[in-house]
Amino acid sequence: MARSTESATARERARQMQADQAKKDKRASLLLPVIVVVLAVVLVAGMIFWAVSRDGDEVAFTEGPAPSVANEYGGISLTSSTEIEEGADLGTVDAESTPERDENGTAPREEGEPPHLVIYTDPGCPACQQMEQSYGSTIAELLDQGLITAEFRSVQVVGSPTNYSARASSAFACMAEESPESYKDYLTYITATYAQDELSNDGLAQVAQDQYGADISECIEDGTYRPFSSWTTNQAGETLAQMGVQFATPTVFIDDQDYGLDFMEALGEEIDAYSAEIGEDAEGIDIDDEDVDTDAQTEDEAEDDAVEAPEDDEEDAEDDE
C-alpha cells in the first residue's frame, strides 16, 4: 500500500513538473516577440542617435583640425575675392577649451594700409543673408581693386534641428582649405541663397561641385571642421563679451571700430581716406548704404527664430548628417 501511495505521489510530481515546464514554455513563447520588438526599438534608437550625433550633437564635434588658412581668431582673411592670406597653422583645436582674450584681433588702420573688415557671420542668419545679398558683390569688387581687405569669421548663432549653421560653417572652411579661390563666392552664394532654406550635407557639397567645380563632399560629410566652427563661435562669444560688444550676427568691424549692418557709409569714408593717401579712387563702385534691415541677429533672438528643416531635406538629414 505504501508503494502504491509513493508511486502515485511520484506520478503527481511528474505531472506537476510537466505542467510547470509547459507554463514556462508558454511564457517564453509570449515574451519572445516582445523581446524582439524591444531590441529592434533599441537598435533603431541607437542608429538615430548615431545619425543625429554626426549631424547635430556638439559633443561629437569638440576636437579636430583647423584649416591651415585660419588665423588665431578663427578668421579667414582675403586680399582679393580669390586670394586668401596665409593662416596661423593652428593644428588641432578644442572647442571646449578656447583661449581667453581681452581683444579680438582688430586694430586701427595704419596710414597707407587699406581698411580691414572683420565680419562675424552665420550662414543661417536672415540678417547675414540680407547683407550678402546687398553688399556681397560690392565687397568682392573692393577686394579686387585692393581698396579693402576682409576677414570672415563664420559662427553658429542660429539654431535648427539639423544644426545647419554648424554644418554650413564647416563647409566654408572645407572650401577655404581645398579650393581657396572659390571661398568668398561660395560663402556669399550659400548665405545669400539658403540662409532660410537649409541645405543637407549633400546639398552643400553639390553647390560646391556644380557652381565652383570643387569636390568637398568628403570634408563636409566627415564634419572635418565642425570642431573648428564651434571653437571659432565660442571664442567669438568670449572675446566680444569681454570687449562689451553684443554677440550678434552680422557684426562688422572696420579696423577696430564695431558696426552692425550699417557699415557701408563708414567704410566709404575709410576708403576715401585710404585712396587719398595712395592717390587712387574706387572706380565705378557704389558703396552707398542700400535699403537693408540693420537689425543684427543676436544669440538669444536666434534661438527664437530657429529655422525648421524643409520637408524634402529631412531624409538626408537623418541619413548622412
Side-chain angles (χ1 to χ4, degrees):
M1 185 73 174
R3 287 183 181 176
S4 176
T5 301
E6 289 176 1
S7 297
T9 301
R11 287 195 296 274
E12 183 61 29
R13 287 176 181 171
R15 284 196 296 270
Q16 186 60 47
M17 291 175 63
Q18 289 176 344
D20 290 344
Q21 186 61 46
K23 289 180 181 179
K24 291 180 180 179
D25 292 343
K26 184 177 181 180
R27 283 198 298 268
S29 65
L30 292 174
L31 283 174
L32 183 59
V34 175
I35 293 171
V36 170
V37 170
V38 170
L39 289 175
V41 169
V42 170
L43 178 61
V44 170
M47 293 176 66
I48 291 173
F49 176 79
W50 176 80
V52 170
S53 295
R54 295 185 66 204
D55 181 40
D57 194 327
E58 295 302 326
V59 176
F61 297 100
T62 57
E63 187 172 344
S68 63
V69 292
N71 64 29
E72 61 183 317
Y73 298 92
I76 295 174
S77 294
L78 295 148
T79 55
S80 78
S81 64
T82 58
E83 296 175 299
I84 294 178
E85 287 186 356
E86 184 177 350
D89 199 11
L90 299 170
T92 299
V93 295
D94 183 353
E96 296 182 338
S97 179
T98 55
E100 293 185 5
R101 308 181 192 277
D102 57 6
E103 47 81 31
N104 73 333
T106 61
R109 185 178 69 85
E110 296 183 5
E111 185 173 353
E113 293 294 322
H116 182 62
L117 289 179
V118 174
I119 302 174
Y120 289 91
T121 182
D122 182 325
C125 159
C128 299
Q129 181 179 43
Q130 293 178 14
M131 182 186 73
E132 290 297 344
Q133 289 173 344
S134 300
Y135 304 138
S137 60
T138 298
I139 290 172
E141 291 180 61
L142 292 170
L143 279 166
D144 289 337
Q145 283 199 15
L147 294 170
I148 65 169
T149 55
E151 176 184 336
F152 290 89
R153 299 177 183 178
S154 294
V155 296
Q156 311 162 25
V157 173
V158 178
S160 84
T162 69
N163 287 294
Y164 177 68
S165 293
R167 294 187 294 106
S169 291
S170 175
F172 295 163
C174 292
M175 184 67 89
E177 184 69 15
E178 300 189 25
S179 188
E181 68 279 3
S182 301
Y183 165 74
K184 166 65 171 65
D185 283 350
Y186 182 64
L187 180 149
T188 293
Y189 181 81
I190 291 293
T191 305
T193 309
Y194 297 107
Q196 299 180 73
D197 184 18
E198 302 176 2
L199 289 173
S200 66
N201 283 354
D202 286 344
L204 289 163
Q206 195 65 48
V207 170
Q209 183 67 60
D210 293 347
Q211 297 284 338
Y212 308 103
D215 183 3
I216 57 174
S217 56
E218 183 175 351
C219 178
I220 293 174
E221 177 64 23
D222 290 347
T224 300
Y225 296 119
R226 287 283 297 276
F228 167 74
S229 179
S230 296
W231 179 81
T232 302
T233 301
N234 294 341
Q235 186 172 202
E238 291 179 6
T239 56
L240 291 176
Q242 289 169 2
M243 296 174 68
V245 176
Q246 185 180 33
F247 186 17
T249 53
T251 289
V252 180
F253 281 80
I254 302 175
D255 302 317
D256 63 335
Q257 297 299 309
D258 167 36
Y259 296 85
L261 266 174
D262 188 18
F263 68 93
M264 288 302 287
E265 182 178 355
L267 181 61
E269 293 173 358
E270 286 296 312
I271 289 174
D272 287 343
Y274 169 63
S275 297
E277 292 167 5
I278 64 173
E280 294 183 9
D281 294 319
E283 299 178 359
I285 299 178
D286 181 7
I287 55 176
D288 292 333
D289 278 319
E290 299 182 25
D291 184 16
V292 179
D293 181 0
T294 57
D295 291 331
Q297 188 89 357
T298 67
E299 193 169 15
D300 291 337
E301 291 168 343
E303 293 179 1
D304 296 334
D305 295 338
V307 181
E308 295 293 336
E311 291 184 2
D312 56 359
D313 280 344
E314 288 179 355
E315 183 175 351
D316 288 336
E318 292 177 359
D319 289 342
D320 52 44
E321 287 127 35

